[in-house]
Amino acid sequence: MATGDEERLDAVTIFAYRGRTPIQRIAYPLYVIALFAAVYGVSLSQGLAHAIAIDATRRELFQTWAPAATLLAVTILCPVAYAVGRKRGPVLPDLSFIDLLLPIGLDRDDLLRPWWRAALAAMATFGGIVGIVVGGGLAIRDLASPAAIAPIVLMGIGVGVLLTHIAVRAQARTNPAPSPWSELVRVADTLRALSQSTLRNQALLSRAANAAFLVGDLSHLARAVPSGRLRGRRLRLGAYGPLGTVVVADLLGWRRTPLATASGITVLLTGVPGTIWALRPEAWMALGPLLLMTSLGAGRLLTGLRFTAENAGSPTLLGISPRRMATGHLTVGLLPAATIGVASTVIVGPLSLATAAGVAGLMFLIAGLQLATSYRGGIRAERMSPTSGGQALAFHMAMPYAAPLAVGLLAGRIALAGGSPSGITLLALGLAVLAFGSWQLRERTRAFG
């Protein structure tokens, strides 16, 4: 870069960012993450390690399968990083920088290199923090020696660097005319391949994400993020009566988004049989994660319910009550899960009243969770105060993921303590969650009930 270009770049940086480099701008968030990891992370890690390997048999199983599970987790994270990079890549200056400096003909490797270094440093540091938390928890519970903490930290740093490289190349592949993979081997070539339109679109999406987080409502962000190419666009929705139209519209939505439909059913094929297997008292620790997996899989098939909930408070177009419309969406969305549950009861077993109650409770639980999360709305303005707004937002966003875990752990603990079997307990908890979700639906649609 010529001396004059360096001076102009420094001048714009000082003007736009008050002289703070990208590394300096990420230092404080990393400090906060490290502080929370030191205060809460290691304690949570050692608690989970103790729960997973509570006796000698489970300790041996953990030590046997931990490397394979780690490799599987990294394998799953790689395509996730690629998908995230296509929506919001790691190299993303502010919108003013993109509009003012990228068109003037300077080498984009020189322009974007500070943001690349900041992203790489952030992900490497975050991976190292995760390694310290995991390694520290395992060492405290004697599942790993203290000497193993350093390799775990280095592995975390390596995974962070790997995911950053994958994400930036995915970001470069979102250009209107994407470069071939052979031209994206070197980081400098990848940064030069980033187009202004790609960076600008992702910067606008990042602004929308920040606004959605600040107001505590992510529904408009979900509409802003492209959902991929729609298929079956020649198919048209016919007239089948009010409730029938709701059902057929959901089926048509499945046909137009085959990837989302296939991913949801695939997750259900693992989550539902696993949940039925985990209804045994000896497998109670797995019940919460498997319930979460089942809830996430069903959520991929219930987009129609969420779209209906976003319009809650306005008259329905089909002339039926919001409750009947939600019932139609839930009937279609839960049909695959119910079918898999009945088949799993026969295959996995054992055939008993508790197992049948567990399958019914699982359906009620999923229905209640989807109603509660879809019709919860945004956070009330009085809760978004400077002192408690962050906590309210964190709880609001974590509720769809924390609720299945909490219900599963509670049902398992009741069964382990000598109470009713897990299936019957899950049925009671599922009915309670369904009642709560139905109450939220009534509250959001009271004027048109």
Side-chain angles (χ1 to χ4, degrees):
M1 184 184 295
T3 304
D5 294 337
E6 291 181 353
E7 293 176 352
R8 281 194 294 171
L9 181 58
D10 291 340
V12 172
T13 303
I14 292 173
F15 176 76
Y17 305 113
R18 298 181 177 89
R20 300 171 63 197
T21 64
I23 290 286
Q24 293 172 336
R25 297 176 72 194
I26 66 170
Y28 183 73
L30 289 176
Y31 162 74
V32 174
I33 292 174
L35 188 63
F36 271 85
V39 175
Y40 302 106
V42 177
S43 300
L44 179 61
S45 175
Q46 62 94 11
L48 290 175
H50 174 69
I52 292 172
I54 197 171
D55 52 30
T57 303
R58 294 186 180 182
R59 182 185 299 268
E60 184 178 353
L61 287 174
F62 174 80
Q63 293 175 343
T64 302
W65 289 101
T70 303
L71 180 61
L72 177 62
V74 175
T75 305
I76 294 174
L77 285 175
C78 288
V80 171
Y82 185 85
V84 172
R86 292 184 63 86
K87 304 296 183 183
R88 202 282 186 193
V91 180
L92 195 62
D94 290 349
L95 195 60
S96 58
F97 189 96
I98 296 171
D99 289 339
L100 295 176
L101 285 182
L102 290 187
I104 63 178
L106 298 177
D107 187 0
R108 291 194 178 174
D109 178 32
D110 293 329
L111 288 175
L112 301 177
R113 179 69 65 166
W115 278 268
W116 162 249
R117 290 171 180 162
L120 197 63
M123 286 299 295
T125 304
F126 181 76
I129 292 173
V130 172
I132 292 173
V133 169
V134 174
L138 295 178
I140 290 173
R141 288 299 172 180
D142 294 328
L143 290 174
S145 64
I149 296 179
I152 294 175
V153 172
L154 292 176
M155 184 176 64
I157 295 174
V159 171
V161 171
L162 173 64
L163 297 181
T164 310
H165 277 274
I166 293 174
V168 74
R169 284 160 176 82
Q171 186 180 13
R173 291 282 297 174
T174 58
N175 293 339
S179 304
W181 284 103
S182 59
E183 298 181 6
L184 301 177
V185 177
R186 297 173 61 246
V187 174
D189 295 334
T190 304
L191 296 179
R192 293 187 182 102
L194 292 172
S195 67
Q196 183 183 4
S197 61
T198 295
L199 293 174
R200 196 174 197 284
N201 291 336
Q202 292 193 357
L204 291 173
L205 183 60
S206 181
R207 281 192 173 187
N210 292 336
F213 283 121
L214 289 175
V215 301
D217 187 1
L218 303 182
S219 60
H220 67 280
L221 177 62
R223 291 189 296 269
V225 176
S227 58
R229 180 182 177 185
L230 296 178
R231 302 184 183 275
R233 298 182 67 92
R234 294 183 179 180
L235 299 176
R236 294 293 180 264
L237 180 62
Y240 300 93
L243 192 58
T245 302
V246 173
V247 173
V248 176
D250 281 351
L251 296 176
L252 183 60
W254 291 2
R255 173 64 182 84
R256 289 184 172 177
T257 55
L259 183 60
T261 304
S263 63
I265 294 177
T266 302
V267 173
L268 288 176
L269 286 172
T270 303
V272 175
T275 302
I276 295 174
W277 169 80
L279 293 176
R280 305 170 184 179
E282 62 271 14
W284 70 273
M285 275 298 298
L287 188 56
L290 288 168
L291 278 177
L292 174 60
M293 181 183 297
T294 304
S295 177
L296 294 176
R300 300 288 286 176
L301 306 178
L302 284 166
T303 54
L305 178 67
R306 290 194 294 274
F307 290 153
T308 301
E310 289 175 6
N311 297 316
S314 58
T316 58
L317 297 177
L318 297 175
I320 59 177
S321 66
R323 183 181 298 182
R324 287 189 64 196
M325 183 171 289
T327 302
H329 288 303
L330 288 172
T331 302
V332 181
L334 295 181
L335 184 60
T339 304
I340 297 171
V342 173
S344 301
T345 303
V346 178
I347 298 173
V348 178
L351 295 176
S352 63
L353 177 62
T355 305
V359 175
L362 178 61
M363 298 303 109
F364 292 144
L365 176 64
I366 296 174
L369 285 172
Q370 296 300 325
L371 285 174
T373 56
S374 298
Y375 285 92
R376 58 182 172 162
I379 302 177
R380 293 180 180 178
E382 59 268 21
R383 294 183 181 178
M384 294 300 293
S385 63
T387 55
S388 61
Q391 295 89 328
L393 179 59
F395 178 79
H396 184 79
M397 295 178 59
M399 196 266 280
Y401 312 102
L405 290 172
V407 170
L409 292 175
L410 180 60
R413 288 298 296 178
I414 291 175
L416 193 65
S420 58
S422 297
I424 298 176
T425 307
L426 187 62
L427 175 61
L429 293 174
L431 288 172
V433 173
L434 180 60
F436 176 71
S438 301
W439 173 80
Q440 282 208 317
L441 186 151
R442 288 195 301 271
E443 289 297 310
R444 286 290 307 278
T445 60
R446 184 186 298 274
F448 305 96

